[in-house]
């Protein structure tokens, strides 16, 4: 005879195990009116007892779905994939669930998906914006908390933001190349012509002029075939730049593929620098020089701010992430 299925634990049993009232347990499981320590203790007891709140009943009682939208700029970028995994897991640890969508680098697609997430009644939205200046962010900010990651949303319409000090990151990379003697650098960016005012792209021109480097900014896809094709165009001619600075490590991987197809040595013929420090970058031959952002801290900060917005708790709403440069063997002295 098949073993009888274990009866689902009740909220009263969780209350008895934790020494709290059923109401306090309910609040803790919903992440409201209780401390984070109490919420964690209640969740652990609920897991041990096998308690599961019925999602529809919980949504009706709290007015919340437990779902958080995560709208990624482009999941072709491996670093954004890693960030999405981290945020999804961190939300799950807080008894919330991520709906992860991919804007594929398309501003119009981003607007459509953002509105769909709102219409699906997510409790909040975390976005890595393709177009930080889009009017849709003001529209969404009126009905749910929105937290941006990477760039600020124009007009201050986000509930919170975890922004990158892109000027510092760009300066670190360009000064590193300048010190190695490079004076002509191609910058490969995923930014499209329809969204030309992203901070990193604006900073690269200002910083290049300040330190005396000529830069040619070229739009590149982040998928490997697309990035490879763009790099082949940049490197195939006789007047190629001495270094390429890529605004994502995923684009730099395409540059590596192009150099091998053309028989060019890195860094002997051309230096390559990235902008993410994806874990794979240290395993390349040669290992990739890259600007590093503390992804674990970004995940923690974004989740903490969005949960605070959902729960209506006062939180530090603007967090600035500082970069560091990890010089590796992909950058060397400019060939004479």
């Amino acid at each position: 005879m098949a073993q009888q299925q274990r009866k689902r634990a009740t909220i009263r049993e969780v209350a008895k195990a934790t020494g709290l009232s059923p109401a306090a347990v309910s609040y803790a499981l919903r992440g409201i009116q209780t401390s984070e320590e109490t919420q964690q203790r209640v969740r652990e007891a609920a897991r041990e007892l096998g308690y599961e709140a019925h999602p529809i009943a919980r949504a009706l009682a709290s007015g919340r779905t437990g779902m958080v939208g995560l709208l990624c700029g482009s999941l072709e970028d491996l670093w954004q994939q890693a960030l999405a995994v981290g945020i999804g897991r961190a939300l799950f640890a807080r008894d919330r669930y991520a709906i992860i969508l991919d804007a594929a680098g398309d501003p119009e697609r981003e607007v459509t998906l953002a509105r769909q997430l709102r219409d699906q009644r997510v409790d909040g939205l975390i976005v890595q914006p393709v177009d930080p200046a889009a009017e849709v962010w003001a529209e969404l900010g009126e009905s749910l908390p929105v937290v941006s990651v990477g760039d600020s949303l124009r007009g201050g319409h986000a509930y919170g933001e975890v922004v990158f000090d892109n000027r510092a990151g760009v300066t670190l990379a360009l000064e590193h190349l300048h010190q190695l003697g490079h004076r002509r650098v191609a910058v490969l960016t995923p930014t499209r012509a329809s969204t030309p005012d992203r901070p990193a792209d604006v900073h690269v021109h200002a910083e290049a002029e300040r330190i005396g480097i000529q830069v040619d900014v070229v739009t590149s896809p982040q998928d490997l075939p697309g990035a490879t094709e763009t790099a082949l165009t940049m490197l195939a001619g006789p007047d190629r730049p001495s270094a390429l600075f890529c605004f994502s490590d995923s684009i730099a991987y395409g540059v590596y593929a192009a150099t091998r197809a053309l028989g060019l040595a890195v860094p002997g013929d051309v230096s390559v620098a990235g902008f993410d420090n994806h874990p794979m970058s240290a395993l390349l031959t040669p290992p990739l020089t890259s600007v590093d952002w503390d992804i674990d801290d970004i995940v923690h900060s974004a989740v903490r701010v969005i949960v605070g917005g959902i729960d209506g708790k006062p939180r530090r709403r603007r967090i600035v992430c500082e970069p560091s440069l990890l010089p590796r063997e992909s950058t060397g002295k400019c060939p004479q």
Side-chain angles (χ1 to χ4, degrees), residues 247-268:
F247 274 177
S248 80
D249 283 12
S250 292
I251 295 176
Y253 303 158
V255 174
Y256 270 54
T259 60
R260 287 168 186 166
L262 295 170
L264 299 176
V266 177

Side-chain angles (χ1 to χ4, degrees), residues 286-298:
L288 176 67
T289 293
S290 192
V291 176
D292 179 64
W293 307 94
D294 187 341
I295 192 168
D296 291 335
D297 185 56
I298 293 168

Side-chain angles (χ1 to χ4, degrees), residues 41-243:
R41 180 161 61 93
V42 169
R43 291 188 190 112
E44 289 177 357
R47 279 193 291 268
E48 291 175 1
L49 293 170
Y51 172 79
E52 296 181 7
H54 193 285
I56 296 177
R58 180 170 60 182
L60 289 172
S62 65
R64 298 175 185 168
T65 62
M67 300 293 181
V68 176
L70 174 56
L71 182 51
C72 301
S74 174
L75 287 176
E76 289 174 335
D77 179 4
L78 297 179
W79 189 86
Q80 290 192 40
Q81 291 181 22
L83 187 66
V85 168
I87 289 175
R89 290 175 178 174
L91 286 169
F92 183 77
R94 290 174 174 257
D95 198 28
R96 290 173 169 87
Y97 306 92
I99 300 177
I100 301 173
L101 297 180
D102 177 19
D106 184 344
E108 293 183 3
R109 177 184 172 97
E110 179 175 66
V111 169
T112 298
L113 292 177
R115 287 179 173 145
Q116 286 181 352
L117 285 168
R118 176 199 58 194
D119 295 343
Q120 290 176 2
R121 304 296 299 274
V122 294
D123 297 332
L125 174 63
I126 300 173
V127 59
Q128 296 173 267
V130 174
D131 184 4
E135 295 180 0
V136 72
W137 308 125
E139 173 189 328
L140 295 178
E142 295 177 356
S143 57
L144 78 167
V146 178
V147 172
S148 64
V149 173
D151 295 324
S152 298
L153 302 182
R154 190 64 54 82
H157 296 297
Y159 170 82
E161 54 190 23
V162 182
V163 296
F164 304 162
D165 188 344
N166 286 300
R167 180 182 291 276
V170 166
T171 299
L172 286 171
L174 291 182
E175 286 187 343
H176 172 68
L177 294 172
H178 184 269
Q179 289 167 5
L180 292 172
H182 297 279
R183 296 297 180 267
R184 181 162 174 248
V185 177
V187 177
L188 302 187
T189 172
T191 300
R192 297 188 179 192
S194 57
T195 57
D197 54 352
R198 292 176 63 86
D201 299 82
V202 174
H203 295 333
V204 76
H205 289 288
E207 291 304 287
E209 182 178 358
R210 183 182 66 82
I211 63 179
I213 286 182
Q214 177 187 343
V215 293
D216 301 309
V217 179
V218 177
T219 298
S220 171
Q222 291 178 291
D223 64 287
L224 184 59
T228 302
E229 183 178 350
T230 301
L232 284 169
T233 302
M234 295 294 301
L235 296 172
D239 190 30
R240 65 173 179 263
S242 63

Side-chain angles (χ1 to χ4, degrees), residues 8 11 19 24 91 105 150 250 278 311 323:
R8 176 182 291 183
I11 199 169
L91 286 169
S250 292
H278 188 275
D311 292 345

